[in-house]
Amino acid sequence: TTMACNNISVSALITYALSGAVVFFMVASSLSSQHMQATYHYSKPFFIVYATTSALSLLYPLLYLRCIIKARYDNYVHLDDDDSRDNSSNNNNRQHQQHSSQASSSSSSRISLSFSNYLAYIESLTIGVSLRRLFIIAIPFSITWMISNYFFTLALRHTDTASALAIEQVATVFIFILSLIFLKMKIEWRKCLSLLICIGGVMMVAIGDSLMMENDNNDDKDDVDAPNRVLGDIFVVTCALAAACYMVFFAKFMGDHIQSLESVCVWLGTIGVIVCVTMWPILVIFHFTNFEIFELPRATESIMLFAIHIICAGLFNYLLNYGIMRVSPLYMRVVTICSLPVSFLLSYFAFNVKFLWWNVFGVILVLIGFIAYSVFELKINRSTDSDARLATSGDEHARIGSEMDGTSR
């Protein structure tokens, strides 16, 4: 019992640490993207998303490097044994030539062996899915990924981060509905109540933010007009719908195949490769139609923000996908709601943005709803694990009893 309690507490700590990291990197990537576009006027939303997603393809060579280092280390021990046998021979010159040829042949075989082991290693991570099939499955997910991230980045051109994150939380409702339909999620009234508290807090924050922007006469703080703000809201809702589809269908179709941190690397690396190889023509089309002129960031601040955004967005997406696999899409959606109060706190203390009491009460409700939902989620997972352990223990006792009966006979 003590060991089970310790395992549960460790699992809870890992879940909360994962939640905090997701919130931090989500806010950091959003703020860096907004200031890169608004403050330093590098408004290239598609190229920002394209570069950020293509950078995920670097996960493949990193996994290959890990595999080939391990293979060469294993072969190094084997070569040491060959050297000891070669040194004990009588003809030194002939043995030296033979050893040289063996070393070169073993080196080439080592490289080919590492590559074959790498492919086998990749397919072993995605349980039951070959590498070719993985790329085919990842194509619609890559499209959904780009739609979600592009429209959110595009919305930051017309609104601030806090407003975008507030409206983007409508994805929680989409995920809840899709989870009921496709994941056959059971309706728990306590979880539904917690979810409603979170959504109520989001609505209060949105109302307070709208009132604050309408009452603010400072052009530096309100640099978007009403039509653009409405357009930004439409972009964010589109992003929310695409994100909900990605999270739910990822859990449905890949939940049984992506079950480790390394398998998440394979999945995100696959999306990065697909986006990098197939979506560069959109950059060319946008450039020659003057929809988005291709241009690399020039200012030092823009370059630094661009690099920070790529790193933070990559870590956010990696941890988010791992959280979907570890817990559930709806739980990770509730976790991202906590980015809302964090973004408001950063805006208040770091950028001296003033907020109304609507915002304060809304943030409090969001935190209460998140804590309640996470507690109920962990309790449900705990009871599920306990039931599974009891069922396994019962089957084991039944098997032992049947064996004893057979022996007595």
Side-chain angles (χ1 to χ4, degrees):
T1 304
T2 304
M3 185 178 297
C5 293
N6 291 333
N7 291 334
I8 291 172
S9 61
V10 171
S11 177
L13 288 176
I14 293 175
T15 302
Y16 282 124
L18 176 66
S19 304
V22 167
V23 171
F24 174 80
F25 288 117
M26 180 179 185
V27 174
S29 63
S30 300
L31 286 174
S32 59
S33 177
Q34 184 204 357
H35 285 282
M36 186 165 45
Q37 296 186 82
T39 306
Y40 299 102
H41 306 289
Y42 186 73
S43 184
K44 312 293 180 184
F46 186 83
F47 177 70
I48 292 173
V49 177
Y50 175 81
T52 303
T53 307
S54 297
L56 296 175
S57 60
L58 296 176
L59 292 171
Y60 263 113
L62 288 177
L63 287 173
Y64 177 77
L65 182 63
R66 179 187 180 280
C67 184
I68 199 172
I69 288 176
K70 183 179 182 300
R72 288 188 174 183
Y73 175 78
D74 294 339
N75 285 329
Y76 177 76
V77 177
H78 177 68
L79 285 176
D80 284 343
D81 295 337
D82 290 342
D83 289 338
S84 62
R85 286 194 297 267
D86 290 341
N87 290 331
S88 62
S89 301
N90 294 326
N91 193 341
N92 294 330
N93 293 331
R94 182 179 302 173
Q95 292 300 329
H96 177 72
Q97 294 176 357
Q98 182 178 1
H99 171 68
S100 299
S101 60
Q102 287 178 352
S104 60
S105 61
S106 62
S107 176
S108 60
S109 63
R110 200 163 56 236
I111 296 175
S112 62
L113 178 63
S114 299
F115 185 72
S116 61
N117 284 343
Y118 170 71
L119 293 179
Y121 171 68
I122 292 297
E123 293 194 352
S124 68
L125 293 176
T126 55
I127 304 172
V129 179
S130 64
L131 192 60
R132 179 180 179 182
R133 180 168 174 77
L134 181 67
F135 271 85
I136 296 175
I137 295 175
I139 291 176
F141 284 96
S142 302
I143 297 173
T144 309
W145 174 294
M146 287 297 293
I147 291 174
S148 175
N149 288 277
Y150 171 69
F151 277 102
F152 184 80
T153 307
L154 186 63
L156 294 177
R157 179 192 296 178
H158 304 285
T159 185
D160 58 275
T161 301
S163 299
L165 289 175
I167 300 172
E168 198 262 347
Q169 304 310 324
V170 73
T172 307
V173 180
F174 294 149
I175 290 180
F176 183 76
I177 296 173
L178 292 175
S179 297
L180 291 176
I181 298 174
F182 295 101
L183 300 182
K184 308 301 181 183
M185 185 185 68
K186 296 181 180 179
I187 299 179
E188 296 284 342
W189 68 269
R190 293 176 297 182
K191 293 169 65 175
C192 293
L193 181 61
S194 304
L195 190 61
L196 289 176
I197 292 175
C198 287
I199 295 174
V202 169
M203 293 177 64
M204 291 183 68
V205 169
I207 292 173
D209 187 61
S210 177
L211 293 174
M212 180 189 66
M213 296 182 71
E214 290 178 0
N215 295 331
D216 192 357
N217 294 322
N218 191 342
D219 294 334
D220 292 334
K221 292 183 180 179
D222 192 8
D223 57 352
V224 291
D225 52 18
N228 282 342
R229 190 158 58 244
V230 172
L231 184 62
D233 294 345
I234 295 174
F235 290 156
V236 175
V237 172
T238 305
C239 156
L241 180 59
C245 293
Y246 175 90
M247 296 178 73
V248 171
F249 290 116
F250 174 76
K252 179 176 178 61
F253 294 106
M254 299 303 299
D256 295 333
H257 307 289
I258 307 296
Q259 297 184 355
S260 65
L261 289 171
E262 292 176 328
S263 61
V264 174
C265 290
V266 175
W267 173 254
L268 294 180
T270 303
I271 290 180
V273 170
I274 292 174
V275 170
C276 181
V277 173
T278 62
M279 297 194 179
W280 63 265
I282 300 179
L283 287 173
V284 178
I285 295 173
F286 281 5
H287 177 77
F288 286 103
T289 57
N290 294 327
F291 185 79
E292 181 181 310
I293 303 298
F294 177 76
E295 183 182 8
L296 294 174
R298 297 179 180 178
T300 305
E301 295 83 358
S302 299
I303 296 175
M304 292 180 61
L305 284 174
F306 192 76
I308 292 173
H309 175 71
I310 289 179
I311 295 173
C312 291
L315 290 173
F316 162 70
N317 289 310
Y318 178 81
L319 295 174
L320 179 66
N321 282 266
Y322 177 68
I324 295 172
M325 176 267 298
R326 179 182 176 84
V327 191
S328 69
L330 190 56
Y331 176 82
M332 295 310 299
R333 186 66 248 174
V334 176
V335 167
T336 59
I337 291 180
C338 286
S339 63
L340 183 58
V342 173
S343 65
F344 274 103
L345 290 175
L346 284 177
S347 298
Y348 180 79
F349 289 105
F351 304 104
N352 198 26
V353 178
K354 305 299 181 182
F355 297 105
L356 302 178
W357 284 106
W358 284 89
N359 305 94
V360 177
F361 288 128
V363 166
I364 294 174
L365 285 179
V366 168
L367 291 176
I368 292 174
F370 166 72
I371 293 173
Y373 187 93
S374 60
V375 169
F376 295 145
E377 180 75 18
L378 290 174
K379 283 185 177 180
I380 292 174
N381 291 339
R382 184 186 306 176
S383 62
T384 303
D385 294 338
S386 299
D387 294 340
R389 286 194 298 269
L390 289 174
T392 304
S393 177
D395 294 339
E396 183 68 18
H397 286 302
R399 184 183 64 81
I400 295 175
S402 62
E403 290 179 355
M404 293 179 63
D405 291 341
T407 303
S408 62
R409 291 176 185 174

